[in-house]
Amino acid sequence: MTLSRPGPRAFLVLAMLLLAATVSQLAVATFVPGIDRFAGKAFGARLAAYPLMMLAVPAAWWLRQRATRRHAPAPWGAFALIMVPFLVDVTGNTLDLYDSVVWWDDLNHFVNWIPLSAGVGLLLTGGLTRRWQVVLLTAGIGALLAICWELGEWYTFIRHGTELNTAYEDTLGDEALGTTGGLVAGLLVAFGRRLPDSAP
């Protein structure tokens, strides 16, 4: 018996499940009172921002398809990869892992950047013909996203929260971990698929 590769519909279902699981946990964190693990972590802002960020790339892809009058199948596998880190982040808070496991935050900033950067890399590097180009572009995107994420964290809850004294060192460490995750993603994308030619 041979296993067939999941089709676009399977990845669409996966992406919708990721979105639903993320939004449902965010709603609980925002609207159910008295849960200490969610206090001071800007879950109201996350409830608005996370679904928008999870759907931004599919929406941009759809708009581009419409503008260019193309009818290519939607790359739901790449979209699902981009959505995974949002669910992992929210679930980590739901399970109180950020406060109860010392290394959980660092692990997330590394591991979450692998599917996030890989998903974006799969979408943007299709026309590249050299593996080093794929690695550099994907890693660069990962680094940029790590910086943007840290800016968002600082603005939403660090600048007026209890973590301000340790924010500088933590931010540098998180950006380094995110960039490393982006580099790993670049290597996976570059060596995990066939490029238009076989040059290194």
Side-chain angles (χ1 to χ4, degrees):
M1 183 179 71
T2 59
L3 295 176
S4 60
R5 183 178 179 182
R9 184 175 180 82
F11 286 120
L12 168 60
V13 171
L14 175 61
M16 293 302 100
L17 289 174
L18 291 168
L19 179 64
T22 302
V23 171
S24 61
Q25 291 183 84
L26 287 169
V28 170
T30 303
F31 297 116
V32 176
I35 305 178
D36 292 339
R37 69 191 63 177
F38 299 135
K41 295 183 179 179
F43 272 92
R46 294 188 197 205
L47 179 59
Y50 278 21
L52 289 176
M53 289 189 286
M54 293 173 80
L55 294 172
V57 175
W61 181 90
W62 180 81
L63 290 172
R64 185 174 183 274
Q65 292 290 303
R66 185 172 180 179
T68 57
R69 297 185 179 182
R70 296 179 180 176
H71 301 286
W76 283 106
F79 296 159
L81 284 171
I82 294 169
M83 294 179 179
V84 165
F86 296 96
L87 175 61
V88 173
D89 176 68
V90 175
T91 303
N93 280 286
T94 297
L95 299 177
D96 200 26
L97 296 176
Y98 284 99
D99 294 326
S100 63
V101 180
V102 174
W103 43 262
W104 180 257
D105 182 67
D106 291 338
L107 179 69
N108 270 262
H109 280 279
F110 170 67
V111 173
N112 273 347
W113 251 252
I114 297 174
L116 178 65
S117 302
V120 178
L122 287 171
L123 293 173
L124 298 183
T125 62
L128 299 181
T129 60
R130 298 292 187 271
R131 297 193 192 281
W132 66 266
Q133 294 172 332
V134 175
V135 172
L136 285 182
L137 180 58
T138 304
I141 291 169
L144 179 61
L145 291 174
I147 293 169
C148 291
W149 185 270
E150 291 304 310
L151 288 172
E153 279 192 352
W154 175 82
Y155 184 80
T156 53
F157 63 88
I158 290 178
R159 63 190 177 125
H160 297 307
T162 60
E163 302 176 6
L164 190 59
N165 291 335
T166 59
Y168 177 74
E169 182 176 353
D170 185 64
T171 295
L172 289 179
D174 290 347
E175 289 176 353
L177 289 165
T179 300
T180 305
L183 177 60
V184 172
L187 292 168
L188 290 173
V189 172
F191 291 94
R193 70 178 185 192
R194 185 179 181 86
L195 297 182
D197 67 28
S198 58

